[in-house]
């Protein structure tokens, strides 16, 4: 029998796109089975959340403030804070309408706008919610909480924790409806987007986010009330738990008490998302192979390191107006200082990467098209110094020269110069958007080495890290007045060939991304995020 490690590696190879042979999916959109993007718990008590917090205004804090030390002063833990955190991390950001069709967008991005990530909150007694600790489901549609269960008060006190806990889960069916066997990859990209969105929202309010990781999947499922839903294809897979605490608070959490905190009586019945389904058995197999059984979380990382940032752009409206571009204009570029600053804030240690407690695993191969003062070509940003020798051995013929005026603290090097626009598009499933931006990115990991060191469950975390990098690039682009988008469809081997990696090398690209000038569709009408609630 193959080991879990080999099962994961086999899944990755099986779901790699190749020219002329894409990963298995239906190959068309079955609109009769399109899943509802909103999970609701019918019969659960519901609480509307505030959207505006006095701590956060249209002018303050700025994007630069989130990367300074000290940052914004910590807000008090109350219902205003809970509402504002959700509003700036997970809520609806707008509705789009074309003719009779209407669909919602969210603050946190999602592959195909399908949003497999569900959000749960574990909080102590809170005025406006309950005098008891409780487990809640966050509904982006309602911008409200659904109370699923009370938690034992002495057990909650035993956590010795001054904040709140946020649990994330994935409904793989939402992604599988469109993407088939590749859905597991995209679900975990989206978890990374959501973790980073939450970390930035916490920083807005002077709070800090840190993953409590790893936790046993079975215990996390019980903690979030997911253990006995019996939903089959529509079931939720527990992903991670994020601890939120004031930035200056003593870090720590009684994990032994946490593992015994599971709620008992659950309120509310989950709604059905589709009337029929298509089965993708390999999604259950890879989920089982990557399940975590560990019960000893890593030490919490230190607080975020300050980063250079001169963008005095109001941060709250910035995170709420983030959009995924559907096309780039092929003209808009960046200055070299803006490009370097953007890449500096993808380095480990700062926001939002201080939420991730493992050793950074993802490096960035950049296809530069339109950066003033930087020659077009291929570049590499190795985010963990210990991997430089690994890359140099794999690419002995690269130039390895830093571009002009590159900051000394940014380990960016050139591989080769030349126009790579056509290649960027071709390796990204022939999508022009990868060539029409200012630059494109392929996010690489040393896949087998990472899984051998950390275990098969780390496969999910590698995608979380790429999603966090993507979310940071989204917001950096918005701060500069341009746009970005993730590219989930790319050809694995041709991407490696473009860099010049040997055929047998284990470096693998997990996510592509592009940044540039957005092309908007004038046929689309934009509606306010909560017009459907406000009009009543």
């Amino acid at each position: 029998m193959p080991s879990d490690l080999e099962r994961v590696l086999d899944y990755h190879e099986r779901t790699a796109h190749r020219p002329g042979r894409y990963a298995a999916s239906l190959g068309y959109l079955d609109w009769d089975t399109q899943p509802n993007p909103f999970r609701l718990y019918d019969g659960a008590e519901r609480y509307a959340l505030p959207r505006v917090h006095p701590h956060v205004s249209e002018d303050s804090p700025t994007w630069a403030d989130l990367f300074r030390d000290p940052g914004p002063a910590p807000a008090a833990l109350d219902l205003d804070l809970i509402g504002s955190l959700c509003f700036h991390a997970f809520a609806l950001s707008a509705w789009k309408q074309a003719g009779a069709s209407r669909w919602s967008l969210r603050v946190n991005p999602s592959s195909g706008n399908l949003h497999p990530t569900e959000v749960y909150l574990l909080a102590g007694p809170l005025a406006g919610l309950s005098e008891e600790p409780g487990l809640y489901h966050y509904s982006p549609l309602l911008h409200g909480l659904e109370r699923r269960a009370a938690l034992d008060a002495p057990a909650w006190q035993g956590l010795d924790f001054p904040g709140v806990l946020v649990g994330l889960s994935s409904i793989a069916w939402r992604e599988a409806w469109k993407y088939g066997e590749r859905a597991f990859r995209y679900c975990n990209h989206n978890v990374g987007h959501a973790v980073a969105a939450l970390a930035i929202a916490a920083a807005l309010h002077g709070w800090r986010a840190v993953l409590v990781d790893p936790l046993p999947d079975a215990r996390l499922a019980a903690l979030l009330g997911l253990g006995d839903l019996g939903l089959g294809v529509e079931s939720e897979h527990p992903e991670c738990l994020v601890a939120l605490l004031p930035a200056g608070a003593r870090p720590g959490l009684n994990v032994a008490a946490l593992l015994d905190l599971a709620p008992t009586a659950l309120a509310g019945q989950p709604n059905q998302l589709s009337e029929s389904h298509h089965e993708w058995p390999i999604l259950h197999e890879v989920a089982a192979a990557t399940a975590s059984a560990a019960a000893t979380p890593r030490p919490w990382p230190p607080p975020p390191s300050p980063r250079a940032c001169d963008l005095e752009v109001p941060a709250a409206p910035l995170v709420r107006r983030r959009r995924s571009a559907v096309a780039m204009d092929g003209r808009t570029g960046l200055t070299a200082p803006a490009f370097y600053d953007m890449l500096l804030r993808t380095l480990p240690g700062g926001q939002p990467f201080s939420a991730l407690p493992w050793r950074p695993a993802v490096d960035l191969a950049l296809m530069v098209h339109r950066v003033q003062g930087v020659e077009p070509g291929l570049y590499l940003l190795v985010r963990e110094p210990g991997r430089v020798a690994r890359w140099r051995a794999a690419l002995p013929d690269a130039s390895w020269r830093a571009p002009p005026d590159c900051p000394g603290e940014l380990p960016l090097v050139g591989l080769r110069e030349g126009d790579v626009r056509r290649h960027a598009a071709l390796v990204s499933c022939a999508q022009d958007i990868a060539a029409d931006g200012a630059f494109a990115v392929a996010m690489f990991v040393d896949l087998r080495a990472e899984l051998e060191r950390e275990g098969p469950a780390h496969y999910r975390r590698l995608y979380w890290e790429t999603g966090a990098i993507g979310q940071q690039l989204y917001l950096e682009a918005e701060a500069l007045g341009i746009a970005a988008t993730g590219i989930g469809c790319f050809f694995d081997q041709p991407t490696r060939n473009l860099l010049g990696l040997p055929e047998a090398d284990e470096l693998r690209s997990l996510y592509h991304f592009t940044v540039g000038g957005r092309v908007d569709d004038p046929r689309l009408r934009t509606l306010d995020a909560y017009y459907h609630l406000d009009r009543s």
Side-chain angles (χ1 to χ4, degrees):
M1 291 288 290
S3 65
D4 283 343
L5 172 62
E6 294 304 327
R7 288 191 182 95
V8 172
L9 293 172
D10 287 347
Y11 168 81
H12 189 79
E13 291 304 311
R14 171 171 167 166
T15 57
H17 289 319
R18 296 171 173 83
R21 201 234 73 179
Y22 288 75
S25 67
L26 284 184
Y28 65 93
L29 296 180
D30 181 1
W31 297 109
D32 290 337
T33 63
Q34 182 181 16
N36 185 337
F38 301 112
R39 168 137 285 168
L40 295 170
Y41 284 92
D42 298 327
E45 190 173 2
R46 290 174 177 159
Y47 304 84
L49 287 174
R51 301 178 208 167
V52 179
H53 192 284
H55 195 83
V56 174
S57 73
E58 289 293 306
D59 301 315
S60 179
T62 69
W63 182 241
D65 289 334
L66 306 191
F67 300 90
R68 291 180 174 134
D69 185 18
L77 175 53
D78 55 21
L79 199 59
D80 282 337
L81 175 63
I82 298 298
S84 191
L85 285 170
C86 291
F87 192 63
H88 291 95
F90 306 122
L92 302 187
S93 57
W95 289 81
K96 294 290 185 179
Q97 184 168 342
S101 298
R102 188 177 303 161
W103 61 94
S104 61
L105 306 178
R106 300 195 198 180
V107 174
N108 55 311
S110 165
S111 308
N113 198 34
L114 297 170
H115 293 285
T117 309
E118 293 293 327
V119 179
Y120 294 84
L121 180 77
L122 295 110
L126 207 59
L129 280 182
S130 175
E131 296 180 355
E132 301 175 298
L135 167 68
Y136 304 86
H137 172 254
Y138 173 67
S139 166
L141 179 66
L142 305 175
H143 184 55
L145 297 178
E146 299 178 299
R147 184 176 172 83
R148 299 236 49 226
L151 300 173
D152 181 70
W156 178 264
Q157 292 173 356
L159 297 182
D160 189 26
F161 181 64
V164 295
L165 300 170
V166 177
L168 302 179
S169 68
S170 293
I171 302 176
W173 163 240
R174 287 200 183 120
E175 292 288 332
W177 170 76
K178 181 176 181 180
Y179 297 115
E181 291 189 350
R182 209 168 161 92
F184 188 81
R185 295 177 176 226
Y186 298 155
C187 284
N188 286 286
H189 283 318
N190 292 334
V191 171
H193 292 152
V195 169
L198 181 58
I200 293 296
L204 269 174
H205 300 83
W207 280 54
R208 182 183 175 204
V210 183
L211 275 173
V212 184
D213 179 84
L215 290 175
D217 282 18
R219 295 303 304 157
L220 181 56
L223 183 63
L224 302 183
L226 306 177
D228 299 311
L229 291 183
L231 300 179
V233 175
E234 296 184 2
S235 63
E236 296 182 36
H237 186 278
E239 298 289 5
C240 61
L241 190 71
V242 184
L244 299 180
L245 70 165
R250 176 184 61 85
L253 181 67
N254 185 335
V255 175
L258 175 67
L259 295 176
D260 291 331
L261 190 63
T264 51
L266 293 168
Q269 292 297 316
N271 60 331
Q272 185 173 338
L273 305 179
S274 299
E275 295 200 4
S276 60
H277 310 86
H278 302 279
E279 290 278 0
W280 300 98
I282 195 169
L283 299 180
H284 303 291
E285 295 167 14
V286 70
T290 57
S292 175
T296 307
R298 311 164 203 264
W300 285 21
S305 304
R307 293 268 182 241
C309 186
D310 59 2
L311 294 174
E312 301 293 342
V313 180
L318 167 65
V319 301
R320 292 222 15 105
R321 71 170 180 260
R322 184 220 59 83
R323 302 285 188 274
S324 298
V326 296
M328 298 292 186
D329 61 16
R331 299 186 306 274
T332 299
L334 285 173
T335 65
F339 178 61
Y340 296 147
D341 283 349
M342 181 179 288
L343 294 182
L344 276 169
R345 286 187 291 279
T346 68
L347 294 180
Q351 295 286 9
F353 308 106
S354 58
L356 309 180
W358 56 84
R359 189 188 81 167
V362 180
D363 300 319
L364 308 184
L366 296 115
M367 295 155 268
V368 173
H369 310 316
R370 299 173 186 84
V371 177
Q372 183 181 355
V374 179
E375 286 295 320
L378 295 175
Y379 293 80
L380 181 66
L381 178 60
V382 182
R383 297 173 63 249
E384 167 57 47
R387 282 194 299 274
V388 171
R390 167 75 173 88
W391 276 99
R392 280 186 173 270
L395 299 172
D397 298 328
S399 68
W400 295 99
R401 288 192 301 269
D405 300 318
C406 182
E409 64 270 30
L410 180 66
L412 178 69
V413 295
L415 300 180
R416 72 171 186 266
E417 294 181 356
D419 187 345
V420 291
R421 287 174 297 176
R422 183 174 66 88
H423 300 289
L426 287 175
V427 300
S428 298
C429 296
Q431 297 178 85
D432 289 339
I433 198 168
D436 290 342
F439 68 93
V441 181
M443 303 186 194
F444 272 86
V445 300
D446 194 355
L447 186 58
R448 181 180 285 273
E450 289 292 332
L451 298 186
E452 287 177 346
R453 188 182 71 253
E454 296 283 353
H458 202 56
Y459 185 65
R460 290 153 56 191
R461 297 184 192 94
L462 297 176
Y463 281 98
W464 301 353
E465 189 174 336
T466 64
I469 294 169
Q471 178 70 354
Q472 184 68 11
L473 289 172
Y474 269 121
L475 296 176
E476 290 290 332
E478 293 287 346
L480 289 169
I482 54 177
T485 196
I487 302 174
C489 185
F490 55 87
F491 298 131
D492 192 350
Q493 187 60 51
T495 301
R496 286 184 278 151
N497 292 344
L498 176 61
L499 294 188
L501 290 168
E503 186 84 14
D505 196 279
E506 294 289 346
L507 288 161
R508 294 289 187 273
S509 182
L510 301 190
Y511 195 17
H512 284 203
F513 210 86
T514 187
V515 175
R518 183 200 327 266
V519 175
D520 291 319
D521 189 338
R523 298 170 297 176
L524 299 185
R525 178 187 174 201
T526 301
L527 304 173
D528 182 75
Y530 289 100
Y531 83 96
H532 58 292
L533 301 181
D534 297 337
R535 65 185 179 183
S536 60

